[in-house]
Amino acid sequence: MTPVELSRTVLSAVRRAVDGGELSVAVPARAVVTLPGPGGCGDYATNIALQLARPAGLPPREVAEILRPHLSGAVGVADVAITGPGFLNIRLGGGASAALVRDVLTRGPRYGHSDTLAGQVVELRVPYDARAEVIADALVRIVATQGGRAEVRHAEPVNLRPVPAPEDPAPLGPDAARWALLHPAPHDRPRITADHLVQRESNPLFRVRYAHARTRALSRNAAALGQDGDPSDVRGPSDVRDPSDLYGPSTVRRPSDRLGPSTVRRPSDTLSPSAALRPSDVRDPSDVRDPSDVRDPSNLHGPSDGHPEGDLLAALAEYPHVLRLAATHRAPDRLARHLVGTADALLGFQHTVLPRGDEKPSAAHRARLALAEAAGTVLAGGLSLLGISAPDYL
Protein backbone atom coordinates (compact mmCIF):
# COMPACT_ATOMS: atom_id res chain seq x y z
CA MET A 1 0.00 0.00 0.00
CA THR A 2 1.46 3.32 -1.08
CA PRO A 3 1.14 6.51 1.01
CA VAL A 4 -1.48 7.79 -1.47
CA GLU A 5 -3.57 4.61 -1.07
CA LEU A 6 -3.17 4.76 2.69
CA SER A 7 -4.28 8.40 2.71
CA ARG A 8 -7.49 7.33 0.96
CA THR A 9 -7.94 4.57 3.52
CA VAL A 10 -7.59 7.10 6.36
CA LEU A 11 -10.22 9.34 4.76
CA SER A 12 -12.54 6.34 4.37
CA ALA A 13 -12.17 5.72 8.13
CA VAL A 14 -13.11 9.33 8.83
CA ARG A 15 -16.17 9.02 6.58
CA ARG A 16 -17.28 5.89 8.42
CA ALA A 17 -17.00 7.66 11.76
CA VAL A 18 -18.97 10.65 10.41
CA ASP A 19 -21.63 8.43 8.83
CA GLY A 20 -21.99 6.55 12.10
CA GLY A 21 -22.50 9.77 14.07
CA GLU A 22 -19.30 9.32 16.10
CA LEU A 23 -17.75 12.51 14.71
CA SER A 24 -19.43 15.70 13.60
CA VAL A 25 -16.93 17.21 11.18
CA ALA A 26 -16.49 17.91 7.49
CA VAL A 27 -14.38 15.18 5.91
CA PRO A 28 -11.12 16.83 4.77
CA ALA A 29 -10.00 16.65 1.17
CA ARG A 30 -6.78 14.87 2.07
CA ALA A 31 -5.03 13.15 4.94
CA VAL A 32 -1.28 13.54 5.41
CA VAL A 33 0.55 10.22 5.77
CA THR A 34 4.26 10.19 6.66
CA LEU A 35 6.87 7.92 8.15
CA PRO A 36 6.55 7.69 11.97
CA GLY A 37 8.46 10.32 13.92
CA PRO A 38 10.38 9.90 17.19
CA GLY A 39 8.37 7.77 19.59
CA GLY A 40 6.22 6.43 16.77
CA CYS A 41 5.90 2.89 15.47
CA GLY A 42 4.66 0.91 12.48
CA ASP A 43 5.09 1.72 8.80
CA TYR A 44 3.28 5.06 8.54
CA ALA A 45 1.72 7.71 10.75
CA THR A 46 -0.98 10.33 10.29
CA ASN A 47 -1.95 13.42 12.27
CA ILE A 48 -5.57 13.34 11.07
CA ALA A 49 -6.88 13.15 14.68
CA LEU A 50 -5.04 16.35 15.59
CA GLN A 51 -6.37 17.98 12.43
CA LEU A 52 -9.99 17.11 13.29
CA ALA A 53 -9.86 17.74 17.05
CA ARG A 54 -10.82 21.41 17.02
CA PRO A 55 -13.77 21.15 14.58
CA ALA A 56 -14.96 18.03 16.44
CA GLY A 57 -14.70 19.78 19.80
CA LEU A 58 -12.83 16.79 21.26
CA PRO A 59 -9.30 16.12 22.51
CA PRO A 60 -7.06 14.77 19.71
CA ARG A 61 -6.50 11.49 21.50
CA GLU A 62 -10.25 10.91 21.84
CA VAL A 63 -10.65 11.52 18.09
CA ALA A 64 -7.84 9.02 17.49
CA GLU A 65 -9.64 6.44 19.64
CA ILE A 66 -12.79 6.93 17.55
CA LEU A 67 -10.91 6.51 14.27
CA ARG A 68 -8.75 3.59 15.35
CA PRO A 69 -11.32 0.74 14.95
CA HIS A 70 -12.44 2.07 11.56
CA LEU A 71 -8.85 2.17 10.36
CA SER A 72 -7.87 -1.16 11.91
CA GLY A 73 -10.55 -2.98 9.91
CA ALA A 74 -9.37 -1.66 6.54
CA VAL A 75 -7.97 -4.04 3.94
CA GLY A 76 -4.18 -4.14 4.12
CA VAL A 77 -3.94 -2.67 7.64
CA ALA A 78 -2.55 -5.07 10.25
CA ASP A 79 -2.52 -2.84 13.33
CA VAL A 80 -3.07 0.75 14.46
CA ALA A 81 -1.45 2.26 17.56
CA ILE A 82 -1.97 5.69 19.12
CA THR A 83 1.10 7.58 20.28
CA GLY A 84 1.80 11.05 21.66
CA PRO A 85 -1.08 13.51 21.68
CA GLY A 86 -3.06 11.50 19.11
CA PHE A 87 -0.90 10.30 16.22
CA LEU A 88 -2.25 7.18 14.51
CA ASN A 89 0.60 4.78 13.72
CA ILE A 90 -0.26 2.20 11.09
CA ARG A 91 1.35 -1.17 10.48
CA LEU A 92 0.59 -2.75 7.12
CA GLY A 93 0.13 -6.48 6.74
CA GLY A 94 0.02 -9.03 3.95
CA GLY A 95 -2.66 -11.65 3.58
CA ALA A 96 -5.55 -9.34 4.44
CA SER A 97 -7.03 -9.69 0.96
CA ALA A 98 -7.03 -13.50 1.12
CA ALA A 99 -8.64 -13.37 4.57
CA LEU A 100 -11.39 -11.09 3.28
CA VAL A 101 -12.27 -13.37 0.36
CA ARG A 102 -12.16 -16.44 2.61
CA ASP A 103 -14.52 -14.71 5.05
CA VAL A 104 -17.03 -13.91 2.29
CA LEU A 105 -16.96 -17.47 0.94
CA THR A 106 -17.19 -19.02 4.40
CA ARG A 107 -20.08 -16.88 5.63
CA GLY A 108 -21.89 -16.90 2.29
CA PRO A 109 -25.19 -14.95 2.32
CA ARG A 110 -24.56 -14.02 5.97
CA TYR A 111 -21.43 -12.03 5.11
CA GLY A 112 -21.92 -8.49 6.43
CA HIS A 113 -24.41 -9.52 9.10
CA SER A 114 -23.77 -8.16 12.60
CA ASP A 115 -25.46 -7.54 15.95
CA THR A 116 -25.48 -3.74 15.63
CA LEU A 117 -29.25 -3.64 16.21
CA ALA A 118 -29.47 -6.72 18.42
CA GLY A 119 -32.59 -6.65 20.59
CA GLN A 120 -33.96 -3.51 18.92
CA VAL A 121 -37.40 -3.23 17.34
CA VAL A 122 -37.54 -0.78 14.45
CA GLU A 123 -41.09 0.46 13.93
CA LEU A 124 -41.89 1.44 10.36
CA ARG A 125 -45.13 3.39 10.03
CA VAL A 126 -45.93 3.81 6.36
CA PRO A 127 -48.74 5.30 4.28
CA TYR A 128 -50.82 3.25 1.84
CA ASP A 129 -48.34 3.76 -0.98
CA ALA A 130 -46.62 1.16 -3.18
CA ARG A 131 -43.14 2.65 -2.88
CA ALA A 132 -43.32 3.03 0.89
CA GLU A 133 -44.45 -0.58 1.22
CA VAL A 134 -41.66 -1.90 -1.03
CA ILE A 135 -39.01 0.06 0.90
CA ALA A 136 -40.42 -1.17 4.20
CA ASP A 137 -40.41 -4.76 2.92
CA ALA A 138 -36.71 -4.48 2.00
CA LEU A 139 -35.93 -2.88 5.34
CA VAL A 140 -37.43 -5.81 7.23
CA ARG A 141 -34.72 -8.04 5.73
CA ILE A 142 -31.92 -5.48 5.95
CA VAL A 143 -32.62 -4.67 9.60
CA ALA A 144 -32.62 -8.41 10.36
CA THR A 145 -29.04 -8.66 9.01
CA GLN A 146 -27.99 -6.39 11.88
CA GLY A 147 -29.80 -8.39 14.54
CA GLY A 148 -32.87 -6.14 14.76
CA ARG A 149 -36.53 -6.69 14.01
CA ALA A 150 -38.57 -4.31 11.86
CA GLU A 151 -42.33 -4.07 12.29
CA VAL A 152 -44.38 -2.49 9.51
CA ARG A 153 -47.69 -0.80 10.22
CA HIS A 154 -50.06 1.52 8.41
CA ALA A 155 -50.44 4.10 11.15
CA GLU A 156 -49.97 7.75 12.02
CA PRO A 157 -47.70 9.53 12.50
CA VAL A 158 -45.92 8.13 9.45
CA ASN A 159 -42.12 7.87 9.85
CA LEU A 160 -41.31 6.44 6.41
CA ARG A 161 -42.76 8.50 3.57
CA PRO A 162 -40.68 8.36 0.37
CA VAL A 163 -41.60 10.39 -2.70
CA PRO A 164 -44.31 8.33 -4.42
CA ALA A 165 -43.83 6.81 -7.86
CA PRO A 166 -45.46 8.89 -10.61
CA GLU A 167 -47.24 5.81 -11.97
CA ASP A 168 -47.81 2.13 -11.26
CA PRO A 169 -44.50 0.23 -11.67
CA ALA A 170 -46.20 -3.21 -11.89
CA PRO A 171 -46.00 -3.41 -15.74
CA LEU A 172 -42.19 -3.50 -15.41
CA GLY A 173 -42.37 -6.89 -13.70
CA PRO A 174 -41.47 -7.68 -10.09
CA ASP A 175 -37.67 -7.30 -10.28
CA ALA A 176 -37.50 -4.14 -12.37
CA ALA A 177 -40.41 -2.59 -10.46
CA ARG A 178 -38.69 -3.13 -7.11
CA TRP A 179 -35.39 -1.78 -8.44
CA ALA A 180 -37.10 1.31 -9.85
CA LEU A 181 -38.56 2.05 -6.40
CA LEU A 182 -35.52 1.11 -4.29
CA HIS A 183 -32.51 2.40 -6.25
CA PRO A 184 -33.27 6.16 -5.95
CA ALA A 185 -32.94 7.82 -2.55
CA PRO A 186 -36.33 8.10 -0.78
CA HIS A 187 -36.42 11.87 -1.34
CA ASP A 188 -35.93 11.43 -5.11
CA ARG A 189 -38.80 10.71 -7.47
CA PRO A 190 -38.35 7.29 -9.09
CA ARG A 191 -38.38 6.87 -12.86
CA ILE A 192 -40.93 4.31 -14.02
CA THR A 193 -39.74 3.69 -17.56
CA ALA A 194 -38.82 0.81 -19.84
CA ASP A 195 -35.14 1.77 -19.33
CA HIS A 196 -35.18 -0.62 -16.37
CA LEU A 197 -35.84 -3.51 -18.75
CA VAL A 198 -33.20 -2.96 -21.43
CA GLN A 199 -30.18 -5.25 -21.40
CA ARG A 200 -27.65 -2.50 -21.83
CA GLU A 201 -24.77 -1.07 -19.85
CA SER A 202 -26.82 2.08 -19.21
CA ASN A 203 -29.22 0.04 -17.03
CA PRO A 204 -27.78 -0.37 -13.49
CA LEU A 205 -30.09 -3.29 -12.67
CA PHE A 206 -28.92 -5.16 -15.75
CA ARG A 207 -25.28 -4.53 -14.83
CA VAL A 208 -25.76 -5.93 -11.32
CA ARG A 209 -27.64 -9.05 -12.45
CA TYR A 210 -25.33 -9.55 -15.42
CA ALA A 211 -22.26 -9.31 -13.16
CA HIS A 212 -23.71 -12.03 -10.94
CA ALA A 213 -24.39 -14.21 -13.97
CA ARG A 214 -20.79 -13.66 -15.10
CA THR A 215 -19.47 -14.98 -11.77
CA ARG A 216 -21.56 -18.11 -12.22
CA ALA A 217 -20.33 -18.52 -15.81
CA LEU A 218 -16.72 -18.14 -14.66
CA SER A 219 -17.27 -20.89 -12.08
CA ARG A 220 -18.79 -23.19 -14.71
CA ASN A 221 -15.99 -22.52 -17.17
CA ALA A 222 -13.36 -23.05 -14.49
CA ALA A 223 -14.97 -26.37 -13.54
CA ALA A 224 -14.75 -27.43 -17.17
CA LEU A 225 -11.00 -26.78 -16.95
CA GLY A 226 -10.77 -28.76 -13.71
CA GLN A 227 -10.07 -25.58 -11.74
CA ASP A 228 -11.42 -24.61 -8.30
CA GLY A 229 -11.26 -21.26 -6.53
CA ASP A 230 -8.72 -20.92 -3.72
CA PRO A 231 -8.40 -17.60 -1.86
CA SER A 232 -4.99 -18.47 -0.38
CA ASP A 233 -3.11 -16.46 -3.01
CA VAL A 234 -5.53 -13.54 -3.33
CA ARG A 235 -3.45 -10.37 -3.23
CA GLY A 236 -4.55 -6.78 -3.54
CA PRO A 237 -2.43 -3.70 -4.27
CA SER A 238 -1.42 -3.49 -0.60
CA ASP A 239 0.12 -6.96 -0.74
CA VAL A 240 2.57 -6.38 -3.61
CA ARG A 241 5.06 -3.83 -4.88
CA ASP A 242 5.08 -4.75 -8.58
CA PRO A 243 1.82 -4.95 -10.58
CA SER A 244 3.22 -7.91 -12.50
CA ASP A 245 3.28 -9.84 -9.22
CA LEU A 246 -0.51 -9.85 -9.33
CA TYR A 247 -1.14 -10.84 -12.91
CA GLY A 248 2.13 -11.51 -14.65
CA PRO A 249 3.53 -9.14 -17.28
CA SER A 250 1.13 -10.32 -19.97
CA THR A 251 -2.05 -9.51 -18.09
CA VAL A 252 -1.52 -6.18 -16.32
CA ARG A 253 -4.58 -4.28 -17.47
CA ARG A 254 -4.63 -0.96 -19.27
CA PRO A 255 -7.26 1.66 -18.36
CA SER A 256 -8.92 1.00 -21.73
CA ASP A 257 -9.40 -2.64 -20.71
CA ARG A 258 -12.05 -1.85 -18.12
CA LEU A 259 -15.07 -3.67 -19.45
CA GLY A 260 -18.78 -3.66 -18.91
CA PRO A 261 -21.91 -4.86 -20.69
CA SER A 262 -22.85 -1.90 -22.84
CA THR A 263 -24.87 -3.73 -25.48
CA VAL A 264 -27.55 -6.39 -25.59
CA ARG A 265 -25.73 -9.64 -24.91
CA ARG A 266 -25.91 -12.82 -26.95
CA PRO A 267 -26.36 -16.07 -25.01
CA SER A 268 -22.82 -17.07 -25.92
CA ASP A 269 -21.50 -13.94 -24.23
CA THR A 270 -22.30 -15.29 -20.79
CA LEU A 271 -20.00 -18.24 -21.43
CA SER A 272 -17.07 -16.45 -22.97
CA PRO A 273 -14.57 -14.99 -20.49
CA SER A 274 -12.63 -13.27 -23.22
CA ALA A 275 -15.37 -11.20 -24.88
CA ALA A 276 -14.34 -7.54 -24.86
CA LEU A 277 -15.99 -4.21 -25.57
CA ARG A 278 -14.61 -1.18 -27.29
CA PRO A 279 -12.92 1.51 -25.16
CA SER A 280 -15.69 3.86 -26.27
CA ASP A 281 -18.19 1.63 -24.46
CA VAL A 282 -16.61 2.30 -21.08
CA ARG A 283 -18.94 4.24 -18.82
CA ASP A 284 -17.98 7.49 -17.14
CA PRO A 285 -17.58 6.65 -13.42
CA SER A 286 -19.47 9.78 -12.48
CA ASP A 287 -22.57 8.27 -14.07
CA VAL A 288 -22.48 5.12 -11.97
CA ARG A 289 -23.14 6.31 -8.43
CA ASP A 290 -24.16 9.46 -6.65
CA PRO A 291 -20.77 11.07 -5.81
CA SER A 292 -22.07 12.03 -2.35
CA ASP A 293 -22.57 8.34 -1.57
CA VAL A 294 -19.06 7.26 -2.57
CA ARG A 295 -16.60 7.17 0.32
CA ASP A 296 -13.57 6.63 -1.86
CA PRO A 297 -14.46 6.91 -5.55
CA SER A 298 -11.15 5.39 -6.59
CA ASN A 299 -12.05 2.25 -4.66
CA LEU A 300 -15.12 1.47 -6.73
CA HIS A 301 -14.63 2.87 -10.21
CA GLY A 302 -12.07 2.24 -12.85
CA PRO A 303 -8.62 0.71 -12.67
CA SER A 304 -6.68 1.39 -9.51
CA ASP A 305 -3.13 1.97 -10.71
CA GLY A 306 -3.01 -1.29 -12.67
CA HIS A 307 -4.71 -3.37 -9.94
CA PRO A 308 -8.28 -4.12 -11.09
CA GLU A 309 -8.87 -6.58 -8.28
CA GLY A 310 -8.16 -3.79 -5.80
CA ASP A 311 -11.46 -2.19 -6.89
CA LEU A 312 -13.32 -5.41 -6.19
CA LEU A 313 -11.62 -6.10 -2.86
CA ALA A 314 -12.50 -2.59 -1.69
CA ALA A 315 -16.16 -3.09 -2.65
CA LEU A 316 -16.33 -6.41 -0.78
CA ALA A 317 -14.67 -4.91 2.30
CA GLU A 318 -17.14 -2.01 2.32
CA TYR A 319 -20.25 -4.22 2.07
CA PRO A 320 -20.73 -4.83 5.84
CA HIS A 321 -20.51 -1.09 6.50
CA VAL A 322 -23.06 -0.39 3.76
CA LEU A 323 -25.46 -2.93 5.27
CA ARG A 324 -25.14 -1.26 8.67
CA LEU A 325 -25.87 2.16 7.18
CA ALA A 326 -28.81 0.85 5.15
CA ALA A 327 -30.31 -0.63 8.32
CA THR A 328 -29.65 2.24 10.72
CA HIS A 329 -30.60 5.00 8.25
CA ARG A 330 -33.56 3.09 6.76
CA ALA A 331 -31.97 3.49 3.35
CA PRO A 332 -32.04 0.43 1.07
CA ASP A 333 -30.95 2.75 -1.75
CA ARG A 334 -27.45 2.72 -0.21
CA LEU A 335 -27.31 -1.04 -0.68
CA ALA A 336 -28.64 -0.81 -4.24
CA ARG A 337 -26.01 1.74 -5.24
CA HIS A 338 -23.25 -0.27 -3.59
CA LEU A 339 -24.27 -3.32 -5.61
CA VAL A 340 -23.86 -1.23 -8.77
CA GLY A 341 -20.33 -0.29 -7.69
CA THR A 342 -19.52 -3.92 -6.88
CA ALA A 343 -20.86 -5.07 -10.24
CA ASP A 344 -18.81 -2.48 -12.10
CA ALA A 345 -15.68 -3.57 -10.21
CA LEU A 346 -16.35 -7.22 -11.10
CA LEU A 347 -16.93 -6.40 -14.75
CA GLY A 348 -13.60 -4.57 -14.83
CA PHE A 349 -11.82 -7.58 -13.33
CA GLN A 350 -13.53 -10.61 -14.86
CA HIS A 351 -11.21 -11.03 -17.84
CA THR A 352 -8.22 -11.77 -15.63
CA VAL A 353 -9.89 -14.76 -13.95
CA LEU A 354 -9.40 -17.67 -16.37
CA PRO A 355 -6.28 -18.60 -18.38
CA ARG A 356 -6.07 -16.91 -21.75
CA GLY A 357 -4.24 -18.07 -24.85
CA ASP A 358 -1.30 -20.26 -23.93
CA GLU A 359 -1.52 -19.53 -20.21
CA LYS A 360 -1.54 -22.53 -17.90
CA PRO A 361 -3.94 -22.64 -14.92
CA SER A 362 -2.07 -21.39 -11.88
CA ALA A 363 -2.53 -20.48 -8.22
CA ALA A 364 -3.12 -16.89 -9.36
CA HIS A 365 -6.06 -18.01 -11.51
CA ARG A 366 -7.52 -20.00 -8.62
CA ALA A 367 -7.21 -16.92 -6.40
CA ARG A 368 -8.93 -14.67 -8.95
CA LEU A 369 -11.71 -17.23 -9.33
CA ALA A 370 -12.23 -17.23 -5.56
CA LEU A 371 -12.44 -13.43 -5.62
CA ALA A 372 -14.99 -13.51 -8.45
CA GLU A 373 -17.04 -16.12 -6.58
CA ALA A 374 -16.94 -13.93 -3.47
CA ALA A 375 -18.27 -11.03 -5.54
CA GLY A 376 -21.07 -13.27 -6.79
CA THR A 377 -21.94 -14.13 -3.20
CA VAL A 378 -22.24 -10.47 -2.26
CA LEU A 379 -24.22 -9.56 -5.37
CA ALA A 380 -26.68 -12.44 -4.85
CA GLY A 381 -27.02 -11.69 -1.15
CA GLY A 382 -27.60 -7.97 -1.71
CA LEU A 383 -30.18 -8.54 -4.44
CA SER A 384 -31.96 -11.05 -2.21
CA LEU A 385 -32.21 -8.46 0.57
CA LEU A 386 -33.83 -6.09 -1.90
CA GLY A 387 -36.26 -8.83 -2.96
CA ILE A 388 -34.76 -9.11 -6.45
CA SER A 389 -33.70 -12.33 -8.16
CA ALA A 390 -30.09 -13.07 -9.14
CA PRO A 391 -30.16 -15.36 -12.19
CA ASP A 392 -27.29 -17.73 -12.96
CA TYR A 393 -27.84 -17.18 -16.68
CA LEU A 394 -28.63 -13.86 -18.31
Side-chain angles (χ1 to χ4, degrees):
M1 183 182 292
T2 67
V4 172
E5 291 168 338
L6 184 55
S7 174
R8 294 170 181 163
T9 300
V10 171
L11 290 179
S12 294
V14 175
R15 291 187 183 97
R16 288 190 181 93
V18 171
D19 288 343
E22 297 169 87
L23 286 177
S24 179
V25 295
V27 179
R30 61 190 293 267
V32 177
V33 174
T34 63
L35 295 177
C41 59
D43 300 302
Y44 294 98
T46 177
N47 67 347
I48 190 69
L50 284 75
Q51 180 181 341
L52 297 177
R54 177 169 294 186
L58 298 170
R61 198 169 182 90
E62 187 173 339
V63 175
E65 291 288 356
I66 291 172
L67 294 177
R68 180 179 179 181
H70 295 289
L71 192 52
S72 298
V75 174
V77 174
D79 187 49
V80 178
I82 301 172
T83 60
F87 291 102
L88 287 161
N89 294 257
I90 303 163
R91 180 169 63 85
L92 304 180
S97 300
L100 169 65
V101 173
R102 187 175 290 107
D103 186 37
V104 176
L105 295 174
T106 299
R107 300 184 65 184
R110 292 191 60 79
Y111 172 67
H113 292 209
S114 76
D115 58 358
T116 300
L117 298 178
Q120 297 187 36
V121 176
V122 178
E123 187 177 7
L124 301 174
R125 298 186 299 274
V126 302
Y128 287 94
D129 170 73
R131 189 182 185 200
E133 292 172 350
V134 167
I135 290 177
D137 177 68
L139 283 173
V140 168
R141 289 183 291 274
I142 293 172
V143 167
T145 69
Q146 305 304 301
R149 179 165 59 89
E151 295 182 348
V152 183
R153 293 193 299 140
H154 292 288
E156 296 289 344
V158 168
N159 63 3
L160 180 63
R161 192 191 295 275
V163 175
E167 57 187 284
D168 182 9
L172 297 177
D175 287 331
R178 292 185 71 87
W179 182 267
L181 299 177
L182 292 169
H183 181 246
H187 57 267
D188 291 333
R189 185 172 297 278
R191 293 182 305 105
I192 309 301
T193 70
D195 290 345
H196 296 293
L197 300 175
V198 298
Q199 295 192 17
R200 290 185 180 274
E201 182 266 352
S202 59
N203 179 3
L205 174 60
F206 172 71
R207 292 209 306 280
V208 173
R209 300 174 85 218
Y210 176 76
H212 174 263
R214 287 297 303 137
T215 67
R216 304 304 301 143
L218 289 168
S219 294
R220 293 191 297 270
N221 291 349
L225 296 173
Q227 181 179 330
D228 294 323
D230 182 358
S232 300
D233 289 322
V234 172
R235 291 182 291 172
S238 63
D239 300 320
V240 297
R241 297 296 181 186
D242 183 349
S244 65
D245 290 341
L246 278 173
Y247 312 110
S250 64
T251 54
V252 175
R253 313 298 291 179
R254 301 181 302 276
S256 61
D257 289 334
R258 186 167 188 273
L259 308 175
S262 66
T263 58
V264 176
R265 313 300 293 182
R266 300 181 302 276
S268 59
D269 288 341
T270 62
L271 299 177
S272 171
S274 60
L277 301 180
R278 302 179 303 276
S280 60
D281 294 326
V282 179
R283 187 175 172 85
D284 183 346
S286 64
D287 292 337
V288 177
R289 299 182 69 196
D290 177 359
S292 65
D293 193 57
V294 179
R295 289 169 181 77
D296 184 0
S298 65
N299 280 347
L300 296 182
H301 303 298
S304 56
D305 301 327
H307 301 292
E309 60 210 80
D311 302 343
L312 192 50
L313 286 164
L316 298 185
E318 185 79 353
Y319 181 72
H321 179 61
V322 171
L323 275 188
R324 284 194 294 274
L325 288 179
T328 56
H329 291 274
R330 303 176 183 178
D333 58 290
R334 289 176 179 264
L335 172 58
R337 289 196 294 274
H338 186 75
L339 293 179
V340 176
T342 304
D344 289 343
L346 181 281
L347 294 170
F349 160 75
Q350 60 171 324
H351 301 290
T352 69
V353 173
L354 298 180
R356 305 177 69 182
D358 296 331
E359 283 185 297
K360 300 291 186 182
S362 65
H365 292 112
R366 291 192 293 273
R368 295 173 206 149
L369 177 61
L371 176 53
E373 290 173 336
T377 296
V378 166
L379 291 170
L383 285 172
S384 176
L385 292 174
L386 297 177
I388 297 172
S389 65
D392 287 352
Y393 297 87
L394 192 63

